[in-house]
């Protein structure tokens, strides 16, 4: 290869390498490294598209109950395992017709074009988890929102409504105080 061709090729090679690195970073930022679920950014973009295209969509917000106690009692590895199993169960429930995500900590989110069977989800998520010879109890609070029931179909309103329902399921007023459920 002559010097002139090399001088022309080097910037292109550098640009291609830099583009590959940025693409990899963007892709990994959209996936939670522990559970493999979409992160808030990755999930939100897809969920907004689902809401626009599917008026019967349902948005779910989930929170593991007493997760700190699980970590304190059985260790953080057990807590991580519980998060992974919860992610797998939520993904299985969503199937091909939904998208699951992890917002962070012990909070998960999902959207389904049509609710497969809302009654089956809490039961599936609350099954004990076998870990290191122990059966770890798992309790999950689930809040849902049927998008068609909202005055304006928006992801932020659906998440706020699901958040209210989730805290109602927990039996508490919620992190932002008492709010009425929108139905």
């Amino acid at each position: 290869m002559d010097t002139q061709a090399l001088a022309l090729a080097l910037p292109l090679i550098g640009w291609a390498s830099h583009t590959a690195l940025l693409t990899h970073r963007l892709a990994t930022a959209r996936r939670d490294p522990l559970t493999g679920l979409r992160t808030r950014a990755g999930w939100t973009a897809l969920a907004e598209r689902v809401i626009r295209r599917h008026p019967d969509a349902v948005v779910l917000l989930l929170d593991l109950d007493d997760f700190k106690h699980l970590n304190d009692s059985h260790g953080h590895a057990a807590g991580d395992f519980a998060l992974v199993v919860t992610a797998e169960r939520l993904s299985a429930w969503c199937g091909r017709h939904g998208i699951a995500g992890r917002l962070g900590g012990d909070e998960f989110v999902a959207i389904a074009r049509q609710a497969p069977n809302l009654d089956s989800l809490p039961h599936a998520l609350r099954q004990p988890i076998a870990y290191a010879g122990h059966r770890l109890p798992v309790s999950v609070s689930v809040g849902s929102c049927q998008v068609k029931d909202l005055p304006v179909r928006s992801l932020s309103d659906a998440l706020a409504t699901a958040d209210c329902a989730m805290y109602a399921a927990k039996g508490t007023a919620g992190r932002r105080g008492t709010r009425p459920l929108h139905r």
Side-chain angles (χ1 to χ4, degrees):
M1 184 177 267
D2 67 343
T3 313
Q4 188 177 15
L6 185 60
L8 289 173
L10 279 177
L12 292 175
I13 293 169
W15 177 81
S17 298
H18 183 69
T19 300
L21 176 67
L22 290 178
T23 301
H24 174 72
R25 284 187 178 169
L26 180 61
T28 57
R30 294 188 181 270
R31 292 281 180 178
D32 174 57
L34 178 64
T35 64
L37 293 180
R38 296 185 184 280
T39 60
R40 181 185 303 266
W43 182 85
T44 298
L46 293 172
E48 287 176 342
R49 190 175 321 142
V50 170
I51 285 177
R52 282 193 308 272
R53 294 180 180 171
H54 302 280
D56 290 334
V58 61
V59 173
L60 301 146
L61 198 58
L62 305 92
D63 184 72
L64 294 178
D65 300 326
D66 301 319
F67 185 67
K68 182 180 178 342
H69 178 71
L70 176 71
N71 273 335
D72 291 347
S73 301
H74 299 281
H76 289 280
D80 285 351
F81 188 70
L83 293 171
V84 169
V85 170
T86 300
E88 290 169 354
R89 291 173 177 176
L90 181 58
S91 293
W93 180 84
C94 286
R96 298 176 321 144
H97 304 290
I99 304 159
R102 180 175 176 213
L103 297 181
D106 62 340
E107 288 188 329
F108 294 87
V109 67
I111 188 165
R113 290 181 223 138
Q114 296 175 342
N117 181 357
L118 281 176
D119 296 332
S120 68
L121 180 61
H123 177 72
L125 294 174
R126 291 182 182 134
Q127 296 301 309
I129 296 172
Y131 178 78
H134 299 282
R135 289 177 53 84
L136 303 177
V138 178
S139 178
V140 181
S141 295
V142 179
S144 66
C145 173
Q146 297 277 343
V147 175
K148 66 183 175 186
D149 295 339
L150 295 171
V152 177
R153 286 187 355 204
S154 76
L155 181 58
S156 61
D157 287 350
L159 285 169
T161 301
D163 188 49
C164 284
M166 181 185 69
Y167 277 95
K170 282 185 178 291
T172 64
R175 61 179 129 207
R176 293 177 196 88
T178 305
R179 293 177 289 166
L181 291 176
H182 299 98
R183 294 219 180 234

